[in-house]
Amino acid sequence: WLEGRATQVWWRNPHAELDLQLPDKLALPADLKQRKLPAQSAGVDGPALLARAELPRRADKRWRVELAPLTRMQAWQVAEIKPGDSLGVLGFSFEAEKGEALLRAEYLFVGDKVYGLRSSPA
């Protein structure tokens, strides 16, 4: 789980991505496990992913986040994210968080909206 402010955003083919600046103090949202998730066309056990969510173990304050292909972002009707926007992302990094500070998004949380980015809306 990562939560912070977008600092740079690339909204172009083949996929949307952004740099996320994390706050000095990280915490999982208290309600994360209870959040309602949208249905996706792929079989994704969202509640199980929320239940296993963890904060990153590495100390990087800036992460690159790969969101989804633009066609999928459009299918979910995700408004273009701008630098300075606050958001949360649940996703996966490299095994054991080795390599770059990179997260591949499964779910994107912007304001009161949640988008499932592994597949199109069901």
Side-chain angles (χ1 to χ4, degrees), residues 9-18 64-73 102 104:
V9 181
W10 297 272
W11 208 264
R12 60 180 184 232
N13 279 324
H15 59 270
E17 60 185 67
L18 57 88
R64 173 72 44 96
V65 178
E66 291 182 353
L67 295 171
L70 290 183
T71 54
R72 193 171 309 144
M73 300 295 281
L102 175 70
R104 291 184 176 91

PDB file of all heavy atoms in Angstrom, residues 9-18 64-73 102 104:
ATOM      1  N   VAL A   9       3.251  12.927 -13.792  1.00  0.00           N
ATOM      2  CA  VAL A   9       2.252  12.014 -14.344  1.00  0.00           C
ATOM      3  C   VAL A   9       2.491  11.871 -15.838  1.00  0.00           C
ATOM      4  O   VAL A   9       2.717  12.859 -16.533  1.00  0.00           O
ATOM      5  CB  VAL A   9       0.819  12.554 -14.087  1.00  0.00           C
ATOM      6  CG1 VAL A   9      -0.215  11.595 -14.635  1.00  0.00           C
ATOM      7  CG2 VAL A   9       0.589  12.812 -12.602  1.00  0.00           C
ATOM      8  N   TRP A  10       2.456  10.624 -16.321  1.00  0.00           N
ATOM      9  CA  TRP A  10       2.563  10.333 -17.746  1.00  0.00           C
ATOM     10  C   TRP A  10       1.284   9.625 -18.153  1.00  0.00           C
ATOM     11  O   TRP A  10       1.051   8.487 -17.766  1.00  0.00           O
ATOM     12  CB  TRP A  10       3.774   9.463 -18.041  1.00  0.00           C
ATOM     13  CG  TRP A  10       5.045  10.141 -17.688  1.00  0.00           C
ATOM     14  CD1 TRP A  10       5.781  10.972 -18.489  1.00  0.00           C
ATOM     15  CD2 TRP A  10       5.736  10.087 -16.427  1.00  0.00           C
ATOM     16  NE1 TRP A  10       6.874  11.429 -17.810  1.00  0.00           N
ATOM     17  CE2 TRP A  10       6.871  10.901 -16.541  1.00  0.00           C
ATOM     18  CE3 TRP A  10       5.487   9.449 -15.224  1.00  0.00           C
ATOM     19  CZ2 TRP A  10       7.771  11.080 -15.485  1.00  0.00           C
ATOM     20  CZ3 TRP A  10       6.364   9.615 -14.179  1.00  0.00           C
ATOM     21  CH2 TRP A  10       7.497  10.426 -14.317  1.00  0.00           C
ATOM     22  N   TRP A  11       0.455  10.300 -18.894  1.00  0.00           N
ATOM     23  CA  TRP A  11      -0.840   9.780 -19.320  1.00  0.00           C
ATOM     24  C   TRP A  11      -0.746   9.567 -20.828  1.00  0.00           C
ATOM     25  O   TRP A  11      -1.200  10.361 -21.620  1.00  0.00           O
ATOM     26  CB  TRP A  11      -1.922  10.813 -18.987  1.00  0.00           C
ATOM     27  CG  TRP A  11      -3.267  10.254 -18.750  1.00  0.00           C
ATOM     28  CD1 TRP A  11      -4.276  10.155 -19.659  1.00  0.00           C
ATOM     29  CD2 TRP A  11      -3.791   9.750 -17.522  1.00  0.00           C
ATOM     30  NE1 TRP A  11      -5.381   9.615 -19.073  1.00  0.00           N
ATOM     31  CE2 TRP A  11      -5.112   9.358 -17.772  1.00  0.00           C
ATOM     32  CE3 TRP A  11      -3.267   9.578 -16.243  1.00  0.00           C
ATOM     33  CZ2 TRP A  11      -5.931   8.818 -16.781  1.00  0.00           C
ATOM     34  CZ3 TRP A  11      -4.073   9.045 -15.265  1.00  0.00           C
ATOM     35  CH2 TRP A  11      -5.383   8.672 -15.535  1.00  0.00           C
ATOM     36  N   ARG A  12      -0.052   8.491 -21.209  1.00  0.00           N
ATOM     37  CA  ARG A  12       0.218   8.256 -22.626  1.00  0.00           C
ATOM     38  C   ARG A  12       0.339   6.760 -22.873  1.00  0.00           C
ATOM     39  O   ARG A  12       0.511   5.973 -21.943  1.00  0.00           O
ATOM     40  CB  ARG A  12       1.504   8.970 -23.041  1.00  0.00           C
ATOM     41  CG  ARG A  12       2.705   8.477 -22.257  1.00  0.00           C
ATOM     42  CD  ARG A  12       3.994   9.159 -22.655  1.00  0.00           C
ATOM     43  NE  ARG A  12       5.071   8.540 -21.895  1.00  0.00           N
ATOM     44  CZ  ARG A  12       5.951   9.197 -21.180  1.00  0.00           C
ATOM     45  NH1 ARG A  12       5.897  10.496 -21.109  1.00  0.00           N
ATOM     46  NH2 ARG A  12       6.904   8.563 -20.522  1.00  0.00           N
ATOM     47  N   ASN A  13       0.283   6.385 -24.151  1.00  0.00           N
ATOM     48  CA  ASN A  13       0.446   4.976 -24.494  1.00  0.00           C
ATOM     49  C   ASN A  13       1.870   4.540 -24.202  1.00  0.00           C
ATOM     50  O   ASN A  13       2.787   5.331 -24.363  1.00  0.00           O
ATOM     51  CB  ASN A  13       0.135   4.765 -25.982  1.00  0.00           C
ATOM     52  CG  ASN A  13      -1.350   4.666 -26.209  1.00  0.00           C
ATOM     53  OD1 ASN A  13      -2.063   4.122 -25.382  1.00  0.00           O
ATOM     54  ND2 ASN A  13      -1.812   5.197 -27.323  1.00  0.00           N
ATOM     55  N   PRO A  14       2.144   3.342 -23.766  1.00  0.00           N
ATOM     56  CA  PRO A  14       1.154   2.283 -23.679  1.00  0.00           C
ATOM     57  C   PRO A  14       0.329   2.293 -22.389  1.00  0.00           C
ATOM     58  O   PRO A  14      -0.705   1.649 -22.316  1.00  0.00           O
ATOM     59  CB  PRO A  14       1.999   1.005 -23.753  1.00  0.00           C
ATOM     60  CG  PRO A  14       3.291   1.397 -23.093  1.00  0.00           C
ATOM     61  CD  PRO A  14       3.496   2.851 -23.461  1.00  0.00           C
ATOM     62  N   HIS A  15       0.774   2.998 -21.355  1.00  0.00           N
ATOM     63  CA  HIS A  15      -0.013   2.994 -20.117  1.00  0.00           C
ATOM     64  C   HIS A  15       0.246   4.275 -19.328  1.00  0.00           C
ATOM     65  O   HIS A  15       1.232   4.973 -19.555  1.00  0.00           O
ATOM     66  CB  HIS A  15       0.308   1.768 -19.255  1.00  0.00           C
ATOM     67  CG  HIS A  15       1.747   1.656 -18.860  1.00  0.00           C
ATOM     68  ND1 HIS A  15       2.660   0.994 -19.631  1.00  0.00           N
ATOM     69  CD2 HIS A  15       2.428   2.150 -17.814  1.00  0.00           C
ATOM     70  CE1 HIS A  15       3.851   1.074 -19.051  1.00  0.00           C
ATOM     71  NE2 HIS A  15       3.745   1.772 -17.953  1.00  0.00           N
ATOM     72  N   ALA A  16      -0.666   4.528 -18.411  1.00  0.00           N
ATOM     73  CA  ALA A  16      -0.519   5.682 -17.520  1.00  0.00           C
ATOM     74  C   ALA A  16       0.388   5.288 -16.361  1.00  0.00           C
ATOM     75  O   ALA A  16       0.332   4.163 -15.862  1.00  0.00           O
ATOM     76  CB  ALA A  16      -1.887   6.109 -16.983  1.00  0.00           C
ATOM     77  N   GLU A  17       1.223   6.219 -15.966  1.00  0.00           N
ATOM     78  CA  GLU A  17       2.072   5.997 -14.798  1.00  0.00           C
ATOM     79  C   GLU A  17       2.328   7.325 -14.124  1.00  0.00           C
ATOM     80  O   GLU A  17       2.069   8.389 -14.691  1.00  0.00           O
ATOM     81  CB  GLU A  17       3.363   5.277 -15.148  1.00  0.00           C
ATOM     82  CG  GLU A  17       4.253   5.991 -16.125  1.00  0.00           C
ATOM     83  CD  GLU A  17       5.459   5.152 -16.505  1.00  0.00           C
ATOM     84  OE1 GLU A  17       5.282   4.117 -17.158  1.00  0.00           O
ATOM     85  OE2 GLU A  17       6.574   5.546 -16.136  1.00  0.00           O
ATOM     86  N   LEU A  18       2.824   7.262 -12.906  1.00  0.00           N
ATOM     87  CA  LEU A  18       3.093   8.481 -12.153  1.00  0.00           C
ATOM     88  C   LEU A  18       4.178   8.237 -11.131  1.00  0.00           C
ATOM     89  O   LEU A  18       4.499   7.098 -10.807  1.00  0.00           O
ATOM     90  CB  LEU A  18       1.816   9.002 -11.477  1.00  0.00           C
ATOM     91  CG  LEU A  18       1.076   8.054 -10.514  1.00  0.00           C
ATOM     92  CD1 LEU A  18       1.608   8.151  -9.107  1.00  0.00           C
ATOM     93  CD2 LEU A  18      -0.400   8.384 -10.516  1.00  0.00           C
ATOM     94  N   ARG A  64       7.690   5.037  -8.393  1.00  0.00           N
ATOM     95  CA  ARG A  64       7.054   5.046  -9.708  1.00  0.00           C
ATOM     96  C   ARG A  64       5.886   4.057  -9.624  1.00  0.00           C
ATOM     97  O   ARG A  64       6.044   2.930  -9.149  1.00  0.00           O
ATOM     98  CB  ARG A  64       8.062   4.623 -10.780  1.00  0.00           C
ATOM     99  CG  ARG A  64       7.526   4.433 -12.175  1.00  0.00           C
ATOM    100  CD  ARG A  64       7.151   5.720 -12.903  1.00  0.00           C
ATOM    101  NE  ARG A  64       8.077   6.800 -12.793  1.00  0.00           N
ATOM    102  CZ  ARG A  64       9.022   7.102 -13.692  1.00  0.00           C
ATOM    103  NH1 ARG A  64       9.187   6.365 -14.762  1.00  0.00           N
ATOM    104  NH2 ARG A  64       9.806   8.152 -13.498  1.00  0.00           N
ATOM    105  N   VAL A  65       4.716   4.483 -10.093  1.00  0.00           N
ATOM    106  CA  VAL A  65       3.521   3.641 -10.069  1.00  0.00           C
ATOM    107  C   VAL A  65       3.048   3.436 -11.502  1.00  0.00           C
ATOM    108  O   VAL A  65       2.758   4.402 -12.208  1.00  0.00           O
ATOM    109  CB  VAL A  65       2.395   4.283  -9.226  1.00  0.00           C
ATOM    110  CG1 VAL A  65       1.147   3.413  -9.259  1.00  0.00           C
ATOM    111  CG2 VAL A  65       2.862   4.507  -7.793  1.00  0.00           C
ATOM    112  N   GLU A  66       3.000   2.174 -11.929  1.00  0.00           N
ATOM    113  CA  GLU A  66       2.435   1.822 -13.225  1.00  0.00           C
ATOM    114  C   GLU A  66       0.960   1.540 -13.003  1.00  0.00           C
ATOM    115  O   GLU A  66       0.603   0.625 -12.259  1.00  0.00           O
ATOM    116  CB  GLU A  66       3.130   0.601 -13.806  1.00  0.00           C
ATOM    117  CG  GLU A  66       4.559   0.866 -14.220  1.00  0.00           C
ATOM    118  CD  GLU A  66       5.222  -0.341 -14.834  1.00  0.00           C
ATOM    119  OE1 GLU A  66       4.632  -1.446 -14.842  1.00  0.00           O
ATOM    120  OE2 GLU A  66       6.365  -0.195 -15.298  1.00  0.00           O
ATOM    121  N   LEU A  67       0.103   2.356 -13.634  1.00  0.00           N
ATOM    122  CA  LEU A  67      -1.332   2.219 -13.421  1.00  0.00           C
ATOM    123  C   LEU A  67      -1.916   1.145 -14.335  1.00  0.00           C
ATOM    124  O   LEU A  67      -2.088   0.009 -13.916  1.00  0.00           O
ATOM    125  CB  LEU A  67      -2.013   3.574 -13.606  1.00  0.00           C
ATOM    126  CG  LEU A  67      -1.594   4.619 -12.565  1.00  0.00           C
ATOM    127  CD1 LEU A  67      -2.138   5.989 -12.928  1.00  0.00           C
ATOM    128  CD2 LEU A  67      -2.038   4.214 -11.169  1.00  0.00           C
ATOM    129  N   ALA A  68      -2.239   1.486 -15.576  1.00  0.00           N
ATOM    130  CA  ALA A  68      -2.844   0.531 -16.509  1.00  0.00           C
ATOM    131  C   ALA A  68      -2.762   1.109 -17.906  1.00  0.00           C
ATOM    132  O   ALA A  68      -2.494   2.301 -18.082  1.00  0.00           O
ATOM    133  CB  ALA A  68      -4.304   0.286 -16.113  1.00  0.00           C
ATOM    134  N   PRO A  69      -3.027   0.279 -18.934  1.00  0.00           N
ATOM    135  CA  PRO A  69      -3.096   0.817 -20.289  1.00  0.00           C
ATOM    136  C   PRO A  69      -4.167   1.909 -20.368  1.00  0.00           C
ATOM    137  O   PRO A  69      -5.169   1.869 -19.642  1.00  0.00           O
ATOM    138  CB  PRO A  69      -3.478  -0.394 -21.139  1.00  0.00           C
ATOM    139  CG  PRO A  69      -3.030  -1.577 -20.338  1.00  0.00           C
ATOM    140  CD  PRO A  69      -3.221  -1.177 -18.903  1.00  0.00           C
ATOM    141  N   LEU A  70      -3.960   2.865 -21.253  1.00  0.00           N
ATOM    142  CA  LEU A  70      -4.915   3.968 -21.376  1.00  0.00           C
ATOM    143  C   LEU A  70      -6.322   3.490 -21.709  1.00  0.00           C
ATOM    144  O   LEU A  70      -7.303   4.059 -21.234  1.00  0.00           O
ATOM    145  CB  LEU A  70      -4.438   4.973 -22.413  1.00  0.00           C
ATOM    146  CG  LEU A  70      -3.216   5.787 -22.018  1.00  0.00           C
ATOM    147  CD1 LEU A  70      -2.895   6.804 -23.093  1.00  0.00           C
ATOM    148  CD2 LEU A  70      -3.399   6.475 -20.680  1.00  0.00           C
ATOM    149  N   THR A  71      -6.440   2.422 -22.505  1.00  0.00           N
ATOM    150  CA  THR A  71      -7.775   1.911 -22.829  1.00  0.00           C
ATOM    151  C   THR A  71      -8.504   1.443 -21.572  1.00  0.00           C
ATOM    152  O   THR A  71      -9.699   1.656 -21.422  1.00  0.00           O
ATOM    153  CB  THR A  71      -7.696   0.755 -23.846  1.00  0.00           C
ATOM    154  OG1 THR A  71      -6.799  -0.246 -23.336  1.00  0.00           O
ATOM    155  CG2 THR A  71      -7.224   1.240 -25.203  1.00  0.00           C
ATOM    156  N   ARG A  72      -7.777   0.823 -20.647  1.00  0.00           N
ATOM    157  CA  ARG A  72      -8.394   0.382 -19.396  1.00  0.00           C
ATOM    158  C   ARG A  72      -8.709   1.576 -18.498  1.00  0.00           C
ATOM    159  O   ARG A  72      -9.746   1.613 -17.842  1.00  0.00           O
ATOM    160  CB  ARG A  72      -7.486  -0.607 -18.677  1.00  0.00           C
ATOM    161  CG  ARG A  72      -8.211  -1.323 -17.558  1.00  0.00           C
ATOM    162  CD  ARG A  72      -7.402  -2.459 -16.968  1.00  0.00           C
ATOM    163  NE  ARG A  72      -6.913  -3.343 -18.000  1.00  0.00           N
ATOM    164  CZ  ARG A  72      -5.720  -3.937 -17.955  1.00  0.00           C
ATOM    165  NH1 ARG A  72      -4.911  -3.753 -16.935  1.00  0.00           N
ATOM    166  NH2 ARG A  72      -5.330  -4.729 -18.926  1.00  0.00           N
ATOM    167  N   MET A  73      -7.824   2.570 -18.461  1.00  0.00           N
ATOM    168  CA  MET A  73      -8.094   3.775 -17.675  1.00  0.00           C
ATOM    169  C   MET A  73      -9.370   4.450 -18.184  1.00  0.00           C
ATOM    170  O   MET A  73     -10.193   4.914 -17.398  1.00  0.00           O
ATOM    171  CB  MET A  73      -6.912   4.740 -17.750  1.00  0.00           C
ATOM    172  CG  MET A  73      -5.592   4.186 -17.217  1.00  0.00           C
ATOM    173  SD  MET A  73      -5.604   3.833 -15.460  1.00  0.00           S
ATOM    174  CE  MET A  73      -5.385   5.483 -14.806  1.00  0.00           C
ATOM    175  N   LEU A 102       9.272   0.581  -7.599  1.00  0.00           N
ATOM    176  CA  LEU A 102       8.243   0.498  -8.626  1.00  0.00           C
ATOM    177  C   LEU A 102       7.081  -0.327  -8.100  1.00  0.00           C
ATOM    178  O   LEU A 102       7.281  -1.416  -7.553  1.00  0.00           O
ATOM    179  CB  LEU A 102       8.824  -0.159  -9.883  1.00  0.00           C
ATOM    180  CG  LEU A 102       7.851  -0.441 -11.008  1.00  0.00           C
ATOM    181  CD1 LEU A 102       7.383   0.859 -11.654  1.00  0.00           C
ATOM    182  CD2 LEU A 102       8.499  -1.346 -12.047  1.00  0.00           C
ATOM    183  N   ARG A 104       3.254  -1.855  -9.297  1.00  0.00           N
ATOM    184  CA  ARG A 104       2.256  -2.099 -10.342  1.00  0.00           C
ATOM    185  C   ARG A 104       0.888  -2.118  -9.671  1.00  0.00           C
ATOM    186  O   ARG A 104       0.632  -2.949  -8.809  1.00  0.00           O
ATOM    187  CB  ARG A 104       2.555  -3.408 -11.057  1.00  0.00           C
ATOM    188  CG  ARG A 104       3.814  -3.291 -11.883  1.00  0.00           C
ATOM    189  CD  ARG A 104       4.097  -4.547 -12.684  1.00  0.00           C
ATOM    190  NE  ARG A 104       5.252  -4.343 -13.528  1.00  0.00           N
ATOM    191  CZ  ARG A 104       6.493  -4.620 -13.169  1.00  0.00           C
ATOM    192  NH1 ARG A 104       6.745  -5.119 -11.985  1.00  0.00           N
ATOM    193  NH2 ARG A 104       7.488  -4.403 -13.997  1.00  0.00           N
TER     194      ARG A 104
END
